[in-house]
PDB file of all heavy atoms in Angstrom:
ATOM      1  N   ASP C 204     -29.983 -27.128   0.669  1.00 93.00           N
ATOM      2  CA  ASP C 204     -31.064 -26.159   0.569  1.00 93.00           C
ATOM      3  C   ASP C 204     -30.574 -24.968   1.442  1.00 93.00           C
ATOM      4  O   ASP C 204     -30.223 -25.187   2.611  1.00 93.00           O
ATOM      5  CB  ASP C 204     -32.395 -26.701   1.123  1.00 93.00           C
ATOM      6  CG  ASP C 204     -32.968 -27.803   0.232  1.00 93.00           C
ATOM      7  OD1 ASP C 204     -32.776 -27.723  -0.979  1.00 93.00           O
ATOM      8  OD2 ASP C 204     -33.487 -28.758   0.844  1.00 93.00           O
ATOM      9  N   GLN C 205     -30.649 -23.750   0.892  1.00 91.00           N
ATOM     10  CA  GLN C 205     -30.081 -22.615   1.620  1.00 91.00           C
ATOM     11  C   GLN C 205     -30.973 -21.426   1.486  1.00 91.00           C
ATOM     12  O   GLN C 205     -31.556 -21.157   0.388  1.00 91.00           O
ATOM     13  CB  GLN C 205     -28.688 -22.343   0.982  1.00 91.00           C
ATOM     14  CG  GLN C 205     -27.937 -21.198   1.664  1.00 91.00           C
ATOM     15  CD  GLN C 205     -26.458 -21.158   1.267  1.00 91.00           C
ATOM     16  OE1 GLN C 205     -25.672 -21.946   1.774  1.00 91.00           O
ATOM     17  NE2 GLN C 205     -26.094 -20.345   0.319  1.00 91.00           N
ATOM     18  N   THR C 206     -31.086 -20.671   2.598  1.00 92.00           N
ATOM     19  CA  THR C 206     -31.824 -19.415   2.585  1.00 92.00           C
ATOM     20  C   THR C 206     -30.884 -18.319   3.071  1.00 92.00           C
ATOM     21  O   THR C 206     -29.963 -18.544   3.816  1.00 92.00           O
ATOM     22  CB  THR C 206     -33.075 -19.468   3.482  1.00 92.00           C
ATOM     23  OG1 THR C 206     -32.674 -19.712   4.857  1.00 92.00           O
ATOM     24  CG2 THR C 206     -34.011 -20.597   3.015  1.00 92.00           C
ATOM     25  N   ILE C 207     -31.158 -17.061   2.615  1.00 90.00           N
ATOM     26  CA  ILE C 207     -30.365 -15.918   3.049  1.00 90.00           C
ATOM     27  C   ILE C 207     -31.364 -14.811   3.425  1.00 90.00           C
ATOM     28  O   ILE C 207     -32.310 -14.542   2.721  1.00 90.00           O
ATOM     29  CB  ILE C 207     -29.454 -15.412   1.955  1.00 90.00           C
ATOM     30  CG1 ILE C 207     -28.501 -16.508   1.487  1.00 90.00           C
ATOM     31  CG2 ILE C 207     -28.668 -14.205   2.433  1.00 90.00           C
ATOM     32  CD1 ILE C 207     -27.641 -16.096   0.311  1.00 90.00           C
ATOM     33  N   GLU C 208     -31.159 -14.244   4.646  1.00 92.00           N
ATOM     34  CA  GLU C 208     -32.017 -13.127   5.042  1.00 92.00           C
ATOM     35  C   GLU C 208     -31.191 -12.081   5.750  1.00 92.00           C
ATOM     36  O   GLU C 208     -30.088 -12.378   6.268  1.00 92.00           O
ATOM     37  CB  GLU C 208     -33.117 -13.669   5.967  1.00 92.00           C
ATOM     38  CG  GLU C 208     -32.602 -14.354   7.184  1.00 92.00           C
ATOM     39  CD  GLU C 208     -33.706 -15.032   8.022  1.00 92.00           C
ATOM     40  OE1 GLU C 208     -34.080 -16.176   7.661  1.00 92.00           O
ATOM     41  OE2 GLU C 208     -34.221 -14.401   8.927  1.00 92.00           O
ATOM     42  N   ALA C 209     -31.700 -10.873   5.793  1.00 90.00           N
ATOM     43  CA  ALA C 209     -31.011  -9.781   6.458  1.00 90.00           C
ATOM     44  C   ALA C 209     -31.420  -9.744   7.942  1.00 90.00           C
ATOM     45  O   ALA C 209     -32.564 -10.016   8.231  1.00 90.00           O
ATOM     46  CB  ALA C 209     -31.372  -8.443   5.786  1.00 90.00           C
ATOM     47  N   THR C 210     -30.482  -9.432   8.769  1.00 92.00           N
ATOM     48  CA  THR C 210     -30.733  -9.360  10.190  1.00 92.00           C
ATOM     49  C   THR C 210     -29.719  -8.462  10.864  1.00 92.00           C
ATOM     50  O   THR C 210     -28.665  -8.145  10.279  1.00 92.00           O
ATOM     51  CB  THR C 210     -30.762 -10.754  10.869  1.00 92.00           C
ATOM     52  OG1 THR C 210     -31.190 -10.647  12.183  1.00 92.00           O
ATOM     53  CG2 THR C 210     -29.297 -11.329  10.854  1.00 92.00           C
ATOM     54  N   LEU C 211     -29.998  -8.005  12.076  1.00 91.00           N
ATOM     55  CA  LEU C 211     -29.042  -7.269  12.876  1.00 91.00           C
ATOM     56  C   LEU C 211     -28.308  -8.239  13.849  1.00 91.00           C
ATOM     57  O   LEU C 211     -28.959  -9.099  14.403  1.00 91.00           O
ATOM     58  CB  LEU C 211     -29.678  -6.139  13.640  1.00 91.00           C
ATOM     59  CG  LEU C 211     -30.171  -4.943  12.807  1.00 91.00           C
ATOM     60  CD1 LEU C 211     -30.919  -3.956  13.703  1.00 91.00           C
ATOM     61  CD2 LEU C 211     -28.978  -4.250  12.123  1.00 91.00           C
ATOM     62  N   PRO C 212     -27.017  -8.023  14.062  1.00 91.00           N
ATOM     63  CA  PRO C 212     -26.332  -8.931  14.989  1.00 91.00           C
ATOM     64  C   PRO C 212     -26.759  -8.693  16.444  1.00 91.00           C
ATOM     65  O   PRO C 212     -27.114  -7.542  16.800  1.00 91.00           O
ATOM     66  CB  PRO C 212     -24.843  -8.547  14.800  1.00 91.00           C
ATOM     67  CG  PRO C 212     -24.918  -7.118  14.347  1.00 91.00           C
ATOM     68  CD  PRO C 212     -26.146  -7.017  13.483  1.00 91.00           C
ATOM     69  N   LEU C 213     -26.734  -9.742  17.280  1.00 91.00           N
ATOM     70  CA  LEU C 213     -26.881  -9.603  18.682  1.00 91.00           C
ATOM     71  C   LEU C 213     -25.674  -8.906  19.295  1.00 91.00           C
ATOM     72  O   LEU C 213     -24.622  -8.848  18.628  1.00 91.00           O
ATOM     73  CB  LEU C 213     -27.056 -10.980  19.330  1.00 91.00           C
ATOM     74  CG  LEU C 213     -28.322 -11.755  18.856  1.00 91.00           C
ATOM     75  CD1 LEU C 213     -28.305 -13.149  19.432  1.00 91.00           C
ATOM     76  CD2 LEU C 213     -29.600 -10.991  19.246  1.00 91.00           C
ATOM     77  N   PRO C 214     -25.742  -8.357  20.475  1.00 89.00           N
ATOM     78  CA  PRO C 214     -24.606  -7.648  21.012  1.00 89.00           C
ATOM     79  C   PRO C 214     -23.319  -8.507  21.061  1.00 89.00           C
ATOM     80  O   PRO C 214     -22.248  -7.963  20.772  1.00 89.00           O
ATOM     81  CB  PRO C 214     -25.115  -7.342  22.455  1.00 89.00           C
ATOM     82  CG  PRO C 214     -26.551  -7.238  22.355  1.00 89.00           C
ATOM     83  CD  PRO C 214     -26.952  -8.276  21.313  1.00 89.00           C
ATOM     84  N   GLN C 215     -23.424  -9.786  21.418  1.00 90.00           N
ATOM     85  CA  GLN C 215     -22.219 -10.632  21.445  1.00 90.00           C
ATOM     86  C   GLN C 215     -21.655 -10.861  20.083  1.00 90.00           C
ATOM     87  O   GLN C 215     -20.450 -11.004  19.883  1.00 90.00           O
ATOM     88  CB  GLN C 215     -22.493 -11.975  22.132  1.00 90.00           C
ATOM     89  CG  GLN C 215     -23.551 -12.855  21.467  1.00 90.00           C
ATOM     90  CD  GLN C 215     -24.941 -12.641  22.047  1.00 90.00           C
ATOM     91  OE1 GLN C 215     -25.253 -11.504  22.437  1.00 90.00           O
ATOM     92  NE2 GLN C 215     -25.707 -13.679  22.132  1.00 90.00           N
TER      93      GLN C 215
END
Side-chain angles (χ1 to χ4, degrees):
D204 294 324
Q205 183 165 280
T206 62
I207 302 176
E208 58 188 85
T210 188
L211 287 175
L213 298 173
Q215 61 267 33

